[in-house]
Amino acid sequence: MFAFIVKRLISGVVVVALVSMAIFVLFWYGPSSPAQPICDRETSNRCTPERLEVYERTLGYQNPVWKEYGKFVKGVFVGREITIGATTYQCDAPCLGYSFRTKQPVTEEMIERMPATFSVAIGGAFLYLLLGVPIGVAAARRRGSLADKALVSSFLFISSVPYYLFALLMWLYLTVKFEIPFFAETGYFPFTDNPAKWFSGLFLAWLALGIFGCTQYTRFTRGAMVEALSEDYIRTAKAKGLPPRTVVYRHGLRAALVPIVTIFGIDFGTLLAGTIFTERIFDIQGIGWWGLQAVYGRDLPVVSATALFSAVVLIISNLIVDVIYSILDPRVRLS
Amino acid sequence: MTTAQTSATGTPSLRGEPILVVEDLSVTFPTEDGPITAVQDLTYTVEMGKTLGIVGESGSGKSVSSLAVLGLHDAKSSRITGSIRVGGTEVVGLSESQMRKLRGNRVSMIFQDALAALHPFYKIGGQLAEAYLVHHPDASKRDARRKAIEMLDRVGIPQPDRRVDDYPHQFSGGMRQRAMIAMGLINDPSLLIADEPTTALDVTVQAQILDLLQDLQREFDSAVIIITHDLGVIAEMADDVLVMYAGRCVEYGTTKEILTHPEMPYSWGLLSSIPDVSNETGGRLIPIPGNPPSLLSPPSGCAFHPRCAHRDKVPGDLCTEKLPQLTPASSGTAHIKRCHLANPDQVFRTEVLPMIAPDLAEEIR
C-alpha cells in the first residue's frame, strides 16, 4: 500500500510537470504575444509596439521557452524576482507568478480563494451523497413501483436541464422573486467570522449543487443497488435469517458503495478544482470565480495557476479514490 | 425389491418424526407473459436424520421448491399455495419476522458456487459469526468468533483460528464450500438444504464435500435435502429420491428403488445420461432428446411426452391429452411414479437396461 502511494505520487508529480509544461507552452505560442494583455492593461489599451517590446523583454518572453519554463519551475521551488515593466517584484516560493491585474502574488491570491471553493465543494458533495444515496437505495428496493418510476423520470427531467440554468433559476426564484430572507445574501463569509452567515450565504449554492448532483447519484446508486441485490450473496444473507435492513445496507449497499465512491471521488475533485457556474451565480469568490475573472482580464499567470491547481486536485483525488477502493474491496491489492 | 426396504420411506422410520412435510405445494410467478407455475402439486416428507435427493434438469422446479421452504420467494412476485410444515410449524403464510427466526436456524441452506454466495467484502469468520449472532442475540462477538472457528475446524479447514480472518477469495473452491457448509450448520439446524453443493467443484473435491456432508449429518443428526442433477450424488448421499420434471414430481421412492427399478421414462433418461468412466463394456451415453419444456406453456397431458421415446407403447393419445396421476409402482406403494405405461418395469428391463448396462441386464436375465 505504502509503495503504491509513493509510486502514484511520483507519477502524479510527472503528470503535474507535464500539465504545467503544456500550459506554459500553449500560452507562449498563443495567437498574441503573452505580454499583450499586460501591455494593454498598463497603457489603457494604447499599447505601442515599443511598449510591448519592453514588457516582452522584462517578462522574459524574448528568451527561449525552455529557459523561461526553467525560471518558472525554479520560482515554484525557491522563489524568484519578476519584473513587469519598470517594477520588480519579489515572488517567494512557491511562486506561480504575479497577477497582471492586482500585482499580487498568484499563490497568495489562490490560498485566499481556497476556503470559499472548499466550503462550496464540501457542502455540495455532502448533499450529493446525503440525498442521492438514500433515495437511490429506496428506489432500488421498490424497483418497478410507481414511486420508483416517478422518481426516475422526474430526476431525468432535472438532470436534462443545463446546470447553469438550474442554478440561475433557483437563485432568481428563491432570492430575487420570493425574497426568502434566509437566501437573501449569497456569497462567501469566512466561517471563523460568523458561522451562521457562512452557512446561509452558501446554503443556496449547496442546494443547487446538491439537488442537481444527487439526480446522478440517485440513478447511479439505484443501478448499483439493483445489481447488488440480485447477487447470490444477498440470497445467502436472507437465508441466514438476517433482517431486511441488514440485508439491504450491510450486504447490499456495502457492495454497491464501491462504484459510487469511485465516481464520487472524481466529482469531488472536480468540485474542489472550482465550480465556475456556482461561484459566479451565487457570487462566491472562490477559485472558479477567480479563474473566470482572470479569463475576462486575460490575466495569464492566474489562468495558468487555476489550470495547474485543477490538475493537482484531480490527481490527488484520483489517488485517494484508489486507496479507498482498496480499503472497500479486499480483493483489490494495490501494487 | 423387498418390501422391508421400501417401507422405510412410507412410514416414519425409527430415526424420528418427519421434520419437513410438504403437501400440494405450488409456486406461481406472475409475469408479463402470463403466470409461470414453477412448482405444482408437490408432496414429500423428510424425516430426521434422513437425506432426500431432489433431481431434475434446470427449470424443473427443484430449487424453487426448496427456496419456498425457507420462504425466500418475494411475496409480491410469487404465489405459494399448499402446505409446508417444518417440525409441525406451517410455513406458508407465516409472517416475515416469524419466518426469519426459522431461516438459518432450524432450516438452513447452502448454495452452489460459494464464491458468489459468500459476500466478497467480509471475512469468512465475520460472515459465520453474523449467522450465529442473528439467532443468538445474547451471545457476545467473541463467542460468535469462537463458534465460527469451531465450525471451520469441524468442516476441516486447516488452521481455522488463522483462516477465520481470510476473505472468501483467499480460500480455494473446496474450502469455500466447506465454509459455506460451516455457516449452514452453525446454528445446528434440523434441516439442511444443499442446492447443488458440488456443482462448481472439481471431481475429487466433490467427493470430499459429499463425505463431509455425510459425516456432519451423522454428527448433527439433521435431515438433509440435496438438490442435484447428478444421479451419482444421489446414489452416494440420498435415502430417498424425488425426480422432478416441469415443476411436478414424476417419481418418488427410496434411492435403491429408483436407481434399480425406475418406472418413468424421464428417470430412465437421467440414468442413461450418466457417463460411466470405469466401465469399458460398451455402455452408451444416451442423452435425453429435446429441451426442458417452457413453463409458460407446458406441454399438454404428460409434460414429458414430447421427449418420451416410449409414447407409442401407450394406447391412444393418452400421453398428450391426460396428465398421468402419481400411482404406486409395481414394486410397492412406497415408490410412486407419474406415467401412463402399463408395464414400465418390464420396458425398463428389456429395453432400457440392455442399452445402458448390458452386463447388468445379462445378470438379471
Side-chain angles (χ1 to χ4, degrees):
Chain A
M1 177 94 122
F2 181 72
F4 168 82
I5 294 173
V6 169
K7 232 190 308 189
R8 281 293 299 266
L9 279 177
I10 292 170
S11 74
V13 167
V14 172
V15 173
V16 170
L18 288 174
V19 168
S20 76
M21 240 181 258
I23 293 166
F24 199 88
V25 169
L26 282 172
F27 280 123
W28 190 277
Y29 293 109
S32 68
S33 160
Q36 190 76 45
I38 182 86
C39 177
D40 286 345
R41 175 176 285 278
E42 300 288 301
T43 57
S44 312
N45 283 332
R46 276 191 290 277
C47 178
T48 59
E50 295 75 37
R51 292 284 293 172
L52 183 65
E53 205 267 350
V54 172
Y55 282 107
E56 281 188 343
R57 185 159 37 77
T58 56
L59 285 167
Y61 290 138
Q62 290 174 337
N63 299 333
V65 64
W66 54 268
K67 202 170 166 186
E68 280 305 304
Y69 180 70
K71 271 205 234 163
F72 170 78
V73 173
K74 187 180 157 232
V76 171
F77 289 103
V78 295
R80 62 175 171 144
E81 284 183 344
I82 292 175
T83 311
I84 304 175
T87 329
T88 298
Y89 302 92
Q90 174 56 42
C91 181
D92 295 326
C95 169
L96 293 172
Y98 256 68
S99 163
F100 286 175
R101 288 178 304 141
T102 59
K103 304 279 166 50
Q104 294 295 315
V106 170
T107 315
E108 262 174 43
E109 284 199 343
M110 185 154 79
I111 289 167
E112 250 170 62
R113 297 292 164 211
M114 278 184 194
T117 288
F118 287 2
S119 298
V120 170
I122 291 168
F126 182 68
L127 278 186
Y128 277 4
L129 292 184
L130 194 74
L131 295 173
V133 173
I135 298 175
V137 171
R141 289 181 74 175
R142 292 164 187 75
R143 177 164 51 124
S145 71
L146 200 66
D148 173 40
K149 282 174 187 156
L151 193 85
V152 168
S153 45
S154 66
F155 275 23
L156 194 66
F157 176 76
I158 294 179
S159 58
S160 57
V161 177
Y163 172 68
Y164 57 86
L165 192 63
F166 178 81
L168 198 61
L169 286 173
M170 269 189 84
W171 177 75
L172 277 176
Y173 274 85
L174 295 178
T175 304
V176 181
K177 182 145 189 250
F178 298 126
E179 295 180 34
I180 296 172
F182 187 70
F183 299 133
E185 203 177 352
T186 67
Y188 176 73
F189 308 97
F191 181 80
T192 43
D193 291 2
N194 186 344
K197 212 158 178 217
W198 170 83
F199 188 83
S200 73
L202 290 169
F203 193 71
L204 199 57
W206 290 338
L207 214 56
L209 274 177
I211 292 174
F212 196 83
C214 89
T215 59
Q216 188 200 346
Y217 280 84
T218 300
R219 266 208 315 277
F220 208 77
T221 306
R222 183 184 173 280
M225 274 305 277
V226 164
E227 197 179 318
L229 289 178
S230 66
E231 293 283 355
D232 281 3
Y233 50 76
I234 295 298
R235 189 185 53 189
T236 308
K238 286 181 187 160
K240 280 178 178 177
L242 298 176
R245 188 185 307 207
T246 312
V247 173
V248 169
Y249 289 96
R250 200 190 304 168
H251 290 254
L253 185 59
R254 177 67 179 73
L257 216 53
V258 173
I260 296 170
V261 164
T262 309
I263 57 159
F264 177 73
I266 307 300
D267 280 352
F268 189 51
T270 314
L271 284 182
L272 283 179
T275 48
I276 294 179
F277 288 132
T278 311
E279 290 178 17
R280 175 70 188 83
I281 289 168
F282 300 107
D283 196 28
I284 296 158
Q285 303 184 359
I287 301 274
W289 179 89
W290 181 57
L292 194 66
Q293 300 296 317
V295 171
Y296 288 151
R298 293 191 288 168
D299 193 346
L300 294 189
V302 172
V303 173
S304 51
T306 54
L308 206 56
F309 176 72
S310 8
V312 170
V313 168
L314 281 178
I315 285 164
I316 292 174
S317 58
N318 263 311
L319 176 62
I320 293 173
V321 164
D322 282 344
V323 170
I324 292 178
Y325 200 98
S326 80
I327 295 168
L328 284 180
D329 188 343
R331 291 170 301 181
V332 176
R333 283 281 153 267
L334 300 178
S335 56
Chain B
M1 282 281 149
T2 60
T3 41
Q5 274 165 327
T6 52
S7 66
T9 36
T11 53
S13 73
L14 296 171
R15 300 286 282 278
E17 293 299 300
I19 175 70
L20 176 68
V21 180
V22 173
E23 273 173 354
D24 300 325
L25 174 69
S26 294
V27 182
T28 307
F29 302 104
T31 68
E32 285 180 10
D33 302 322
I36 285 182
T37 304
V39 175
Q40 210 163 353
D41 300 330
L42 193 65
T43 298
Y44 64 83
T45 3
V46 188
E47 287 149 26
M48 286 302 284
K50 290 279 186 177
T51 300
L52 171 72
I54 301 182
V55 255
E57 287 165 298
S58 318
S60 60
K62 46 194 196 315
S63 293
V64 171
S65 61
S66 309
L67 288 172
V69 174
L70 279 169
L72 282 178
H73 291 298
D74 186 4
K76 271 174 271 170
S77 58
S78 62
R79 213 169 49 246
I80 298 173
T81 58
S83 161
I84 300 170
R85 289 192 299 280
V86 176
T89 311
E90 178 59 56
V91 166
V92 175
L94 198 65
S95 75
E96 175 63 22
S97 59
Q98 290 296 314
M99 196 67 235
R100 272 209 304 277
K101 290 198 181 118
L102 219 64
R103 268 184 218 143
N105 197 14
R106 292 198 68 184
V107 186
S108 70
M109 189 152 180
I110 58 177
F111 299 97
Q112 61 170 310
D113 191 6
L115 183 61
L118 290 167
H119 201 293
F121 297 167
Y122 292 115
K123 290 172 181 168
I124 295 280
Q127 300 192 45
L128 261 70
E130 188 183 38
Y132 182 75
L133 281 172
V134 70
H135 296 294
H136 295 83
D138 297 333
S140 70
K141 283 198 171 159
R142 190 185 287 182
D143 294 340
R145 187 184 158 85
R146 203 180 302 128
K147 184 78 186 170
I149 294 171
E150 181 201 321
M151 288 307 298
L152 287 178
D153 193 30
R154 280 173 99 161
V155 297
I157 303 277
Q159 294 180 298
D161 50 335
R162 292 206 356 231
R163 301 311 295 260
V164 72
D165 289 322
D166 276 0
Y167 289 97
H169 71 273
Q170 292 167 306
F171 271 31
S172 69
M175 277 163 69
R176 272 196 292 269
Q177 195 53 274
R178 283 170 193 268
M180 190 88 220
I181 292 169
M183 193 157 84
L185 292 174
I186 199 163
N187 292 314
D188 200 358
S190 322
L191 174 65
L192 179 72
I193 302 174
D195 189 352
E196 309 214 13
T198 58
T199 303
L201 304 171
D202 63 58
V203 181
T204 48
V205 182
Q206 276 188 16
Q208 291 169 11
I209 295 293
L210 293 179
D211 285 346
L212 173 70
L213 269 176
Q214 278 181 313
D215 290 348
L216 290 170
Q217 178 180 18
R218 241 167 270 138
E219 207 176 312
F220 285 77
D221 199 31
S222 54
V224 172
I225 295 179
I226 188 155
I227 300 170
T228 181
H229 52 255
D230 184 350
L231 282 178
V233 172
I234 294 291
E236 179 158 344
M237 297 281 297
D239 299 302
D240 297 328
V241 186
L242 174 72
V243 183
M244 286 189 76
Y245 189 78
R248 281 197 168 88
C249 166
V250 293
E251 193 157 18
Y252 179 33
T254 60
T255 304
K256 192 159 189 188
E257 263 292 309
I258 300 288
L259 293 184
T260 54
H261 296 92
E263 297 200 358
M264 158 78 199
Y266 178 62
S267 310
W268 302 343
L270 287 178
L271 274 175
S272 313
S273 50
I274 303 175
D276 188 352
V277 284
S278 60
N279 195 342
E280 283 178 286
T281 52
R284 281 165 61 195
L285 180 66
I286 308 153
I288 305 171
N291 291 311
S294 154
L295 293 173
L296 208 53
S297 52
S300 60
C302 172
F304 189 61
H305 83 256
R307 304 169 72 186
C308 184
H310 305 276
R311 220 165 80 202
D312 49 354
K313 298 185 187 68
V314 176
D317 293 331
L318 211 54
C319 288
T320 51
E321 281 171 2
K322 194 163 179 292
L323 175 73
Q325 294 305 304
L326 280 170
T327 49
S330 47
S331 55
T333 50
H335 172 187
I336 49 176
K337 45 94 185 172
R338 195 188 282 279
C339 186
H340 286 306
L341 279 173
N343 51 351
D345 198 32
Q346 193 194 336
V347 176
F348 179 69
R349 254 184 295 127
T350 56
E351 289 186 34
V352 183
L353 206 54
M355 296 266 274
I356 55 174
D359 46 347
L360 199 64
E362 227 32 54
E363 243 170 70
I364 290 174
R365 212 171 274 166

